[in-house]
Amino acid sequence: MDLTDRPRRLRADGIRPLVSETSLSASDLIAPVFVDATTDERVPIPSMPGHERVPVSEAAARVRELQEVGVESVMVFGIPASKDPEGSGAWADDGVVQRSIGRIKAQTGAYVIADLCLCEYTSHGHCGVLEEDAQSGDTMTVKNDETLELYGKIAVSQARAGADMIAPSGMMDGQVGAIREALDSAGFEHTPIMAYAAKYASAFYGPFRDAADGAPAFGDRSHYQMDPGNRREAMREVALDVEQGADALMVKPALPYLDIVRDVREGFDHPVAAYNVSGEYAMLHAAAEKGWLDLEEAAYESLLSIKRAGADLILTYFAEDLASRL
Ligand code: PBG
């Protein structure tokens, strides 16, 4: 027996922390916050235990709770009072997100990222303006370039409300460039854009659609979100967003796409974000409820693996719980 290389030597109690390669801290985490214009009270989200839709009046209080455990960055999603085919609530100066951001910025020092999309605001639940598909004539699809104009308006209204960063999630071609141009011409050249650069058409968004009430009334999002089997295409998507001026690059979902997180980390020098989505959260809770795994440990290991894959920032519904333990 000639065992010179024994990795176990470095796994003893005192040495493990010294040789640990990856760590998590509260400053890596961004917590999603749902503000709901249809309620005066906090409403629990059944598919996402521990999360609620909060009324505008509670938005700042919710963010303060996160700050108490050390989470200083939030991503704000809105549920508007009413919806229409265009999604005009998304760029209303008195819209649910605009009013909430105003309050959060006035009452907390948190860093506020605004999710920019139309699916929560359109009556049909798609991420932009609809049209009949020009080729087939029967399937409805989202008009790309008309939608970009609306995204520009939303970005400016969110920045005017006080958003520190804009995060477009609709997966229209050219969205980062259009938003950059709209922000610059409105005097917001210092407002960064975090691109949902490689966002896949994923089954893991299920619980979010309950939370934000943005399920498509018909069809799915595979006309604009990415095909889960595509890896090289993710690099094309990311490169396009970089060319158009993206400041940070997001991969979404996170756990089923860690190879993509790693590819983006290696291919680009921009900060890489990963979105540990609603389904990734809900499935751990469901299994833990059955007693099949330990929630805290499984959550920690999940987030650690996202960091290890190469993410600098993690959007996660575990932010509050994890930060309170760190
Ligand atoms: C809106 C949007 C979605 C998510 C974030 N922004 C839903 C979707 O694209 O269907 C999902 C987030 C999550 O599941 O946690 N476009």
Side-chain angles (χ1 to χ4, degrees), residues 41-70:
E41 289 171 13
R42 296 185 179 214
V43 182
I45 302 166
S47 54
M48 296 170 67
H51 284 270
E52 301 168 319
R53 299 177 175 196
V54 303
V56 174
S57 59
E58 295 269 321
R62 171 68 193 129
V63 173
R64 260 189 257 105
E65 293 164 10
L66 292 162
Q67 288 179 304
E68 269 161 34
V69 296

PDB file of all heavy atoms in Angstrom, residues 41-70:
ATOM      1  N   GLU A  41     -53.655  43.753   2.090  1.00  0.00           N
ATOM      2  CA  GLU A  41     -52.993  42.924   3.098  1.00  0.00           C
ATOM      3  C   GLU A  41     -51.993  42.012   2.437  1.00  0.00           C
ATOM      4  O   GLU A  41     -52.112  41.711   1.258  1.00  0.00           O
ATOM      5  CB  GLU A  41     -54.022  42.005   3.779  1.00  0.00           C
ATOM      6  CG  GLU A  41     -54.958  42.718   4.687  1.00  0.00           C
ATOM      7  CD  GLU A  41     -56.074  41.778   5.138  1.00  0.00           C
ATOM      8  OE1 GLU A  41     -55.939  40.548   4.935  1.00  0.00           O
ATOM      9  OE2 GLU A  41     -57.059  42.301   5.674  1.00  0.00           O
ATOM     10  N   ARG A  42     -51.051  41.510   3.230  1.00  0.00           N
ATOM     11  CA  ARG A  42     -50.112  40.534   2.691  1.00  0.00           C
ATOM     12  C   ARG A  42     -50.858  39.229   2.400  1.00  0.00           C
ATOM     13  O   ARG A  42     -51.648  38.771   3.221  1.00  0.00           O
ATOM     14  CB  ARG A  42     -49.000  40.265   3.696  1.00  0.00           C
ATOM     15  CG  ARG A  42     -48.136  41.500   3.962  1.00  0.00           C
ATOM     16  CD  ARG A  42     -46.986  41.119   4.859  1.00  0.00           C
ATOM     17  NE  ARG A  42     -46.121  42.268   5.123  1.00  0.00           N
ATOM     18  CZ  ARG A  42     -44.807  42.176   5.273  1.00  0.00           C
ATOM     19  NH1 ARG A  42     -44.203  41.012   5.213  1.00  0.00           N
ATOM     20  NH2 ARG A  42     -44.086  43.248   5.511  1.00  0.00           N
ATOM     21  N   VAL A  43     -50.585  38.653   1.229  1.00  0.00           N
ATOM     22  CA  VAL A  43     -51.246  37.406   0.842  1.00  0.00           C
ATOM     23  C   VAL A  43     -50.178  36.332   0.643  1.00  0.00           C
ATOM     24  O   VAL A  43     -49.305  36.468  -0.213  1.00  0.00           O
ATOM     25  CB  VAL A  43     -52.016  37.585  -0.496  1.00  0.00           C
ATOM     26  CG1 VAL A  43     -52.751  36.308  -0.870  1.00  0.00           C
ATOM     27  CG2 VAL A  43     -52.956  38.770  -0.428  1.00  0.00           C
ATOM     28  N   PRO A  44     -50.232  35.259   1.439  1.00  0.00           N
ATOM     29  CA  PRO A  44     -49.238  34.198   1.262  1.00  0.00           C
ATOM     30  C   PRO A  44     -49.343  33.570  -0.127  1.00  0.00           C
ATOM     31  O   PRO A  44     -50.423  33.488  -0.694  1.00  0.00           O
ATOM     32  CB  PRO A  44     -49.610  33.167   2.336  1.00  0.00           C
ATOM     33  CG  PRO A  44     -50.510  33.879   3.289  1.00  0.00           C
ATOM     34  CD  PRO A  44     -51.177  34.974   2.526  1.00  0.00           C
ATOM     35  N   ILE A  45     -48.211  33.136  -0.666  1.00  0.00           N
ATOM     36  CA  ILE A  45     -48.179  32.463  -1.966  1.00  0.00           C
ATOM     37  C   ILE A  45     -48.061  30.961  -1.679  1.00  0.00           C
ATOM     38  O   ILE A  45     -47.024  30.497  -1.212  1.00  0.00           O
ATOM     39  CB  ILE A  45     -46.976  32.941  -2.795  1.00  0.00           C
ATOM     40  CG1 ILE A  45     -47.039  34.469  -2.996  1.00  0.00           C
ATOM     41  CG2 ILE A  45     -46.917  32.224  -4.147  1.00  0.00           C
ATOM     42  CD1 ILE A  45     -45.755  35.096  -3.515  1.00  0.00           C
ATOM     43  N   PRO A  46     -49.150  30.204  -1.915  1.00  0.00           N
ATOM     44  CA  PRO A  46     -49.175  28.802  -1.461  1.00  0.00           C
ATOM     45  C   PRO A  46     -48.038  27.947  -2.025  1.00  0.00           C
ATOM     46  O   PRO A  46     -47.488  27.106  -1.324  1.00  0.00           O
ATOM     47  CB  PRO A  46     -50.523  28.289  -1.967  1.00  0.00           C
ATOM     48  CG  PRO A  46     -51.327  29.495  -2.291  1.00  0.00           C
ATOM     49  CD  PRO A  46     -50.377  30.599  -2.601  1.00  0.00           C
ATOM     50  N   SER A  47     -47.675  28.176  -3.281  1.00  0.00           N
ATOM     51  CA  SER A  47     -46.652  27.337  -3.908  1.00  0.00           C
ATOM     52  C   SER A  47     -45.238  27.755  -3.534  1.00  0.00           C
ATOM     53  O   SER A  47     -44.271  27.122  -3.948  1.00  0.00           O
ATOM     54  CB  SER A  47     -46.810  27.382  -5.425  1.00  0.00           C
ATOM     55  OG  SER A  47     -46.795  28.727  -5.866  1.00  0.00           O
ATOM     56  N   MET A  48     -45.110  28.869  -2.757  1.00  0.00           N
ATOM     57  CA  MET A  48     -43.792  29.340  -2.356  1.00  0.00           C
ATOM     58  C   MET A  48     -43.798  29.686  -0.869  1.00  0.00           C
ATOM     59  O   MET A  48     -43.842  30.855  -0.495  1.00  0.00           O
ATOM     60  CB  MET A  48     -43.398  30.548  -3.209  1.00  0.00           C
ATOM     61  CG  MET A  48     -43.270  30.168  -4.675  1.00  0.00           C
ATOM     62  SD  MET A  48     -43.088  31.585  -5.736  1.00  0.00           S
ATOM     63  CE  MET A  48     -41.506  32.135  -5.186  1.00  0.00           C
ATOM     64  N   PRO A  49     -43.736  28.651  -0.031  1.00  0.00           N
ATOM     65  CA  PRO A  49     -43.859  28.848   1.419  1.00  0.00           C
ATOM     66  C   PRO A  49     -42.896  29.929   1.917  1.00  0.00           C
ATOM     67  O   PRO A  49     -41.734  29.957   1.517  1.00  0.00           O
ATOM     68  CB  PRO A  49     -43.484  27.474   1.993  1.00  0.00           C
ATOM     69  CG  PRO A  49     -43.724  26.501   0.887  1.00  0.00           C
ATOM     70  CD  PRO A  49     -43.465  27.242  -0.387  1.00  0.00           C
ATOM     71  N   GLY A  50     -43.406  30.824   2.759  1.00  0.00           N
ATOM     72  CA  GLY A  50     -42.564  31.893   3.303  1.00  0.00           C
ATOM     73  C   GLY A  50     -42.596  33.152   2.461  1.00  0.00           C
ATOM     74  O   GLY A  50     -42.077  34.182   2.871  1.00  0.00           O
ATOM     75  N   HIS A  51     -43.201  33.086   1.275  1.00  0.00           N
ATOM     76  CA  HIS A  51     -43.294  34.285   0.433  1.00  0.00           C
ATOM     77  C   HIS A  51     -44.724  34.773   0.329  1.00  0.00           C
ATOM     78  O   HIS A  51     -45.661  33.983   0.382  1.00  0.00           O
ATOM     79  CB  HIS A  51     -42.692  34.024  -0.952  1.00  0.00           C
ATOM     80  CG  HIS A  51     -41.193  34.013  -0.902  1.00  0.00           C
ATOM     81  ND1 HIS A  51     -40.438  35.148  -1.084  1.00  0.00           N
ATOM     82  CD2 HIS A  51     -40.333  33.013  -0.606  1.00  0.00           C
ATOM     83  CE1 HIS A  51     -39.162  34.838  -0.924  1.00  0.00           C
ATOM     84  NE2 HIS A  51     -39.063  33.551  -0.637  1.00  0.00           N
ATOM     85  N   GLU A  52     -44.840  36.116   0.212  1.00  0.00           N
ATOM     86  CA  GLU A  52     -46.153  36.749   0.160  1.00  0.00           C
ATOM     87  C   GLU A  52     -46.165  37.784  -0.938  1.00  0.00           C
ATOM     88  O   GLU A  52     -45.120  38.311  -1.313  1.00  0.00           O
ATOM     89  CB  GLU A  52     -46.419  37.486   1.485  1.00  0.00           C
ATOM     90  CG  GLU A  52     -46.373  36.620   2.709  1.00  0.00           C
ATOM     91  CD  GLU A  52     -46.343  37.446   3.998  1.00  0.00           C
ATOM     92  OE1 GLU A  52     -45.635  38.476   4.061  1.00  0.00           O
ATOM     93  OE2 GLU A  52     -47.043  37.070   4.932  1.00  0.00           O
ATOM     94  N   ARG A  53     -47.365  38.076  -1.407  1.00  0.00           N
ATOM     95  CA  ARG A  53     -47.549  39.288  -2.200  1.00  0.00           C
ATOM     96  C   ARG A  53     -47.841  40.394  -1.190  1.00  0.00           C
ATOM     97  O   ARG A  53     -48.708  40.222  -0.330  1.00  0.00           O
ATOM     98  CB  ARG A  53     -48.760  39.170  -3.105  1.00  0.00           C
ATOM     99  CG  ARG A  53     -48.704  38.062  -4.127  1.00  0.00           C
ATOM    100  CD  ARG A  53     -50.037  38.088  -4.856  1.00  0.00           C
ATOM    101  NE  ARG A  53     -50.109  37.161  -5.957  1.00  0.00           N
ATOM    102  CZ  ARG A  53     -51.045  37.246  -6.908  1.00  0.00           C
ATOM    103  NH1 ARG A  53     -51.961  38.197  -6.860  1.00  0.00           N
ATOM    104  NH2 ARG A  53     -51.069  36.364  -7.886  1.00  0.00           N
ATOM    105  N   VAL A  54     -47.136  41.501  -1.290  1.00  0.00           N
ATOM    106  CA  VAL A  54     -47.375  42.563  -0.312  1.00  0.00           C
ATOM    107  C   VAL A  54     -48.021  43.766  -0.992  1.00  0.00           C
ATOM    108  O   VAL A  54     -47.741  44.047  -2.158  1.00  0.00           O
ATOM    109  CB  VAL A  54     -46.081  43.000   0.428  1.00  0.00           C
ATOM    110  CG1 VAL A  54     -45.427  41.807   1.111  1.00  0.00           C
ATOM    111  CG2 VAL A  54     -45.099  43.690  -0.504  1.00  0.00           C
ATOM    112  N   PRO A  55     -48.920  44.470  -0.276  1.00  0.00           N
ATOM    113  CA  PRO A  55     -49.491  45.685  -0.864  1.00  0.00           C
ATOM    114  C   PRO A  55     -48.414  46.779  -0.959  1.00  0.00           C
ATOM    115  O   PRO A  55     -47.385  46.684  -0.281  1.00  0.00           O
ATOM    116  CB  PRO A  55     -50.583  46.080   0.138  1.00  0.00           C
ATOM    117  CG  PRO A  55     -50.205  45.432   1.418  1.00  0.00           C
ATOM    118  CD  PRO A  55     -49.430  44.197   1.069  1.00  0.00           C
ATOM    119  N   VAL A  56     -48.656  47.771  -1.798  1.00  0.00           N
ATOM    120  CA  VAL A  56     -47.676  48.852  -1.990  1.00  0.00           C
ATOM    121  C   VAL A  56     -47.300  49.479  -0.642  1.00  0.00           C
ATOM    122  O   VAL A  56     -46.127  49.781  -0.382  1.00  0.00           O
ATOM    123  CB  VAL A  56     -48.252  49.926  -2.951  1.00  0.00           C
ATOM    124  CG1 VAL A  56     -47.312  51.116  -3.052  1.00  0.00           C
ATOM    125  CG2 VAL A  56     -48.511  49.316  -4.325  1.00  0.00           C
ATOM    126  N   SER A  57     -48.296  49.603   0.230  1.00  0.00           N
ATOM    127  CA  SER A  57     -48.049  50.241   1.538  1.00  0.00           C
ATOM    128  C   SER A  57     -47.057  49.452   2.400  1.00  0.00           C
ATOM    129  O   SER A  57     -46.497  49.981   3.347  1.00  0.00           O
ATOM    130  CB  SER A  57     -49.373  50.394   2.297  1.00  0.00           C
ATOM    131  OG  SER A  57     -49.950  49.104   2.477  1.00  0.00           O
ATOM    132  N   GLU A  58     -46.862  48.157   2.073  1.00  0.00           N
ATOM    133  CA  GLU A  58     -45.960  47.313   2.863  1.00  0.00           C
ATOM    134  C   GLU A  58     -44.628  47.054   2.161  1.00  0.00           C
ATOM    135  O   GLU A  58     -43.793  46.292   2.664  1.00  0.00           O
ATOM    136  CB  GLU A  58     -46.606  45.937   3.097  1.00  0.00           C
ATOM    137  CG  GLU A  58     -47.851  45.953   3.940  1.00  0.00           C
ATOM    138  CD  GLU A  58     -47.528  45.772   5.414  1.00  0.00           C
ATOM    139  OE1 GLU A  58     -46.628  44.977   5.745  1.00  0.00           O
ATOM    140  OE2 GLU A  58     -48.169  46.454   6.213  1.00  0.00           O
ATOM    141  N   ALA A  59     -44.465  47.625   0.986  1.00  0.00           N
ATOM    142  CA  ALA A  59     -43.279  47.301   0.189  1.00  0.00           C
ATOM    143  C   ALA A  59     -41.990  47.634   0.944  1.00  0.00           C
ATOM    144  O   ALA A  59     -41.065  46.822   1.020  1.00  0.00           O
ATOM    145  CB  ALA A  59     -43.323  48.022  -1.155  1.00  0.00           C
ATOM    146  N   ALA A  60     -41.950  48.836   1.523  1.00  0.00           N
ATOM    147  CA  ALA A  60     -40.721  49.246   2.217  1.00  0.00           C
ATOM    148  C   ALA A  60     -40.515  48.400   3.477  1.00  0.00           C
ATOM    149  O   ALA A  60     -39.382  48.018   3.803  1.00  0.00           O
ATOM    150  CB  ALA A  60     -40.775  50.730   2.561  1.00  0.00           C
ATOM    151  N   ALA A  61     -41.611  48.063   4.165  1.00  0.00           N
ATOM    152  CA  ALA A  61     -41.495  47.247   5.374  1.00  0.00           C
ATOM    153  C   ALA A  61     -40.933  45.868   5.028  1.00  0.00           C
ATOM    154  O   ALA A  61     -40.090  45.314   5.745  1.00  0.00           O
ATOM    155  CB  ALA A  61     -42.858  47.114   6.046  1.00  0.00           C
ATOM    156  N   ARG A  62     -41.395  45.329   3.908  1.00  0.00           N
ATOM    157  CA  ARG A  62     -40.890  44.026   3.475  1.00  0.00           C
ATOM    158  C   ARG A  62     -39.377  44.095   3.205  1.00  0.00           C
ATOM    159  O   ARG A  62     -38.621  43.207   3.589  1.00  0.00           O
ATOM    160  CB  ARG A  62     -41.644  43.590   2.200  1.00  0.00           C
ATOM    161  CG  ARG A  62     -41.073  42.350   1.534  1.00  0.00           C
ATOM    162  CD  ARG A  62     -41.296  41.101   2.397  1.00  0.00           C
ATOM    163  NE  ARG A  62     -40.505  39.975   1.935  1.00  0.00           N
ATOM    164  CZ  ARG A  62     -39.711  39.242   2.728  1.00  0.00           C
ATOM    165  NH1 ARG A  62     -39.603  39.507   4.026  1.00  0.00           N
ATOM    166  NH2 ARG A  62     -39.047  38.233   2.236  1.00  0.00           N
ATOM    167  N   VAL A  63     -38.951  45.160   2.553  1.00  0.00           N
ATOM    168  CA  VAL A  63     -37.529  45.292   2.241  1.00  0.00           C
ATOM    169  C   VAL A  63     -36.720  45.478   3.530  1.00  0.00           C
ATOM    170  O   VAL A  63     -35.624  44.925   3.670  1.00  0.00           O
ATOM    171  CB  VAL A  63     -37.292  46.446   1.238  1.00  0.00           C
ATOM    172  CG1 VAL A  63     -35.810  46.708   1.041  1.00  0.00           C
ATOM    173  CG2 VAL A  63     -37.963  46.112  -0.103  1.00  0.00           C
ATOM    174  N   ARG A  64     -37.296  46.203   4.491  1.00  0.00           N
ATOM    175  CA  ARG A  64     -36.579  46.356   5.770  1.00  0.00           C
ATOM    176  C   ARG A  64     -36.376  45.018   6.472  1.00  0.00           C
ATOM    177  O   ARG A  64     -35.343  44.770   7.091  1.00  0.00           O
ATOM    178  CB  ARG A  64     -37.296  47.364   6.689  1.00  0.00           C
ATOM    179  CG  ARG A  64     -36.613  48.734   6.629  1.00  0.00           C
ATOM    180  CD  ARG A  64     -37.137  49.710   7.659  1.00  0.00           C
ATOM    181  NE  ARG A  64     -38.034  50.661   7.025  1.00  0.00           N
ATOM    182  CZ  ARG A  64     -39.361  50.672   7.117  1.00  0.00           C
ATOM    183  NH1 ARG A  64     -39.996  49.762   7.849  1.00  0.00           N
ATOM    184  NH2 ARG A  64     -40.065  51.582   6.501  1.00  0.00           N
ATOM    185  N   GLU A  65     -37.362  44.135   6.363  1.00  0.00           N
ATOM    186  CA  GLU A  65     -37.200  42.790   6.960  1.00  0.00           C
ATOM    187  C   GLU A  65     -36.001  42.076   6.352  1.00  0.00           C
ATOM    188  O   GLU A  65     -35.244  41.396   7.040  1.00  0.00           O
ATOM    189  CB  GLU A  65     -38.452  41.934   6.717  1.00  0.00           C
ATOM    190  CG  GLU A  65     -39.692  42.413   7.450  1.00  0.00           C
ATOM    191  CD  GLU A  65     -40.988  41.791   6.901  1.00  0.00           C
ATOM    192  OE1 GLU A  65     -40.915  40.845   6.074  1.00  0.00           O
ATOM    193  OE2 GLU A  65     -42.060  42.273   7.292  1.00  0.00           O
ATOM    194  N   LEU A  66     -35.854  42.224   5.041  1.00  0.00           N
ATOM    195  CA  LEU A  66     -34.724  41.578   4.360  1.00  0.00           C
ATOM    196  C   LEU A  66     -33.414  42.207   4.808  1.00  0.00           C
ATOM    197  O   LEU A  66     -32.420  41.509   5.045  1.00  0.00           O
ATOM    198  CB  LEU A  66     -34.890  41.710   2.843  1.00  0.00           C
ATOM    199  CG  LEU A  66     -36.064  40.909   2.263  1.00  0.00           C
ATOM    200  CD1 LEU A  66     -36.450  41.417   0.882  1.00  0.00           C
ATOM    201  CD2 LEU A  66     -35.704  39.428   2.192  1.00  0.00           C
ATOM    202  N   GLN A  67     -33.414  43.523   4.939  1.00  0.00           N
ATOM    203  CA  GLN A  67     -32.185  44.216   5.361  1.00  0.00           C
ATOM    204  C   GLN A  67     -31.766  43.801   6.771  1.00  0.00           C
ATOM    205  O   GLN A  67     -30.585  43.728   7.069  1.00  0.00           O
ATOM    206  CB  GLN A  67     -32.398  45.726   5.316  1.00  0.00           C
ATOM    207  CG  GLN A  67     -32.468  46.266   3.894  1.00  0.00           C
ATOM    208  CD  GLN A  67     -32.696  47.762   3.876  1.00  0.00           C
ATOM    209  OE1 GLN A  67     -33.664  48.251   4.455  1.00  0.00           O
ATOM    210  NE2 GLN A  67     -31.806  48.493   3.227  1.00  0.00           N
ATOM    211  N   GLU A  68     -32.758  43.513   7.618  1.00  0.00           N
ATOM    212  CA  GLU A  68     -32.429  43.113   8.988  1.00  0.00           C
ATOM    213  C   GLU A  68     -31.560  41.864   9.038  1.00  0.00           C
ATOM    214  O   GLU A  68     -30.754  41.699   9.950  1.00  0.00           O
ATOM    215  CB  GLU A  68     -33.707  42.895   9.812  1.00  0.00           C
ATOM    216  CG  GLU A  68     -34.136  44.164  10.514  1.00  0.00           C
ATOM    217  CD  GLU A  68     -35.597  44.126  10.949  1.00  0.00           C
ATOM    218  OE1 GLU A  68     -36.079  43.023  11.315  1.00  0.00           O
ATOM    219  OE2 GLU A  68     -36.233  45.194  10.908  1.00  0.00           O
ATOM    220  N   VAL A  69     -31.714  40.982   8.044  1.00  0.00           N
ATOM    221  CA  VAL A  69     -30.865  39.783   8.038  1.00  0.00           C
ATOM    222  C   VAL A  69     -29.669  39.940   7.096  1.00  0.00           C
ATOM    223  O   VAL A  69     -28.911  38.994   6.886  1.00  0.00           O
ATOM    224  CB  VAL A  69     -31.662  38.498   7.692  1.00  0.00           C
ATOM    225  CG1 VAL A  69     -32.701  38.212   8.765  1.00  0.00           C
ATOM    226  CG2 VAL A  69     -32.315  38.594   6.319  1.00  0.00           C
ATOM    227  N   GLY A  70     -29.528  41.123   6.492  1.00  0.00           N
ATOM    228  CA  GLY A  70     -28.329  41.387   5.696  1.00  0.00           C
ATOM    229  C   GLY A  70     -28.502  41.365   4.185  1.00  0.00           C
ATOM    230  O   GLY A  70     -27.524  41.476   3.451  1.00  0.00           O
TER     231      GLY A  70
END
